[in-house]
Amino acid sequence: ETGVTQTPRHLVMGMTNKKSLKCEQHLGHNAMYWYKQSAKKPLELMFVYSLEERVENNSVPSRFSPECPNSSHLFLHLHTLQPEDSALYLCASSRGLAENTGELFFGEGSRLTVL
Amino acid sequence: GQNIDQPTEMTATEGAIVQINCTYQTSGFNGLFWYQQHAGEAPTFLSYNVLDGLEEKGRFSSFLSRSKGYSYLLLKELQMKDSASYLCAVRTGGSYIPTFGRGTSLIVHP
């Protein structure tokens, strides 16, 4: 139990569907992240929010749309995805962006399959 | 950008010692992390090095040489539960956000 909860854990969607991934952290952290994890590839940073402001958008296609309504919640809205978007989507949080150790606390991920 | 390299897979025997290497090329180095990820689970933080030398934490130790762009994670008295993927991540001062390597899948066998 890392204090970061992601739902749903598994999601199957067609290319024309719209769905959302949800992340909630109970750690009082100020920074939240979305990472994409595909087989045989490094963790890819997608978005970073600090104090509910987006501070990094790592050239992610517009079919992925993040939302951070408050410092405890982070969403990833998905629409018109492609099969190559199938991956494990990991949410993480940290105390802040410039903290000493900057340790990330990860959720267990949402396994997405796009048909 | 950053180039982080670590072996794809390693195998070791229960009770033995294993060293997982990570090399990196980056500018403005500001810390190196090791994370452990069991299959189907969240990555969890193992260690953080920002100065040269060895940091020991129980059975796990992490070493850093900034001049060589090199780190290793040392696991002693291996247990079956140590079978996992070990992720090396490097942070630069400009970004504060770590960039991850591909991970090393460690298989511990009896």
Side-chain angles (χ1 to χ4, degrees):
Chain A
E1 187 61 51
T2 62
V4 180
T5 305
Q6 289 187 241
T7 54
R9 293 292 309 277
H10 300 273
L11 178 62
V12 179
M13 59 188 288
M15 289 192 283
T16 57
N17 291 157
K18 280 187 181 181
K19 297 283 184 186
S20 295
L21 306 181
K22 179 183 174 184
C23 177
E24 184 174 358
Q25 56 99 357
H26 312 276
L27 302 168
H29 288 170
N30 290 323
M32 294 188 77
Y33 310 72
W34 279 116
Y35 280 90
K36 177 183 178 183
Q37 189 173 39
S38 306
K40 313 288 185 197
K41 285 185 166 183
L43 275 173
E44 298 171 49
L45 180 68
M46 299 177 74
F47 301 104
V48 183
Y49 277 82
S50 176
L51 297 170
E52 298 144 51
E53 298 238 351
R54 192 190 310 181
V55 296
E56 187 129 349
N57 175 348
N58 225 21
S59 304
V60 179
S62 59
R63 57 186 184 267
F64 295 92
S65 174
E67 179 190 359
C68 188
N70 55 62
S71 58
S72 299
H73 292 86
L74 185 64
F75 294 88
L76 188 62
H77 303 300
L78 317 168
H79 62 100
T80 58
L81 294 193
Q82 305 296 312
E84 60 264 29
D85 297 322
S86 298
L88 183 68
Y89 289 85
L90 288 164
C91 173
S93 71
S94 65
R95 284 197 200 91
L97 277 189
E99 294 290 325
N100 248 357
T101 67
E103 176 186 347
L104 294 174
F105 292 76
F106 284 90
E108 295 194 328
S110 294
R111 172 71 63 188
L112 173 67
T113 303
V114 182
L115 302 175
Chain B
Q2 294 157 29
N3 191 14
I4 300 167
D5 196 35
Q6 48 181 135
T8 305
E9 190 174 291
M10 298 181 72
T11 58
T13 307
E14 194 176 13
I17 298 173
V18 72
Q19 178 175 309
I20 303 174
N21 296 326
C22 174
T23 58
Y24 63 89
Q25 287 121 37
T26 187
S27 55
F29 175 83
N30 191 26
L32 186 143
F33 301 80
W34 284 97
Y35 285 82
Q36 179 192 60
Q37 186 179 21
H38 286 102
E41 295 183 16
T44 54
F45 171 82
L46 288 177
S47 67
Y48 171 72
N49 294 68
V50 68
L51 300 176
D52 289 352
L54 188 69
E55 297 275 344
E56 296 188 75
K57 200 187 285 187
R59 293 190 298 115
F60 291 10
S61 304
S62 57
F63 172 84
L64 175 68
S65 168
R66 287 172 299 170
S67 62
K68 293 182 180 172
Y70 168 68
S71 171
Y72 67 73
L73 181 70
L74 192 72
L75 291 75
K76 301 176 189 172
E77 300 166 23
L78 278 173
Q79 302 175 10
M80 299 296 289
K81 67 178 183 178
D82 297 329
S83 294
S85 184
Y86 291 86
L87 311 176
C88 173
V90 174
R91 188 171 69 172
T92 59
S95 164
Y96 294 107
I97 299 165
T99 298
F100 285 81
R102 292 172 191 270
T104 299
S105 177
L106 174 67
I107 301 166
V108 179
H109 55 84

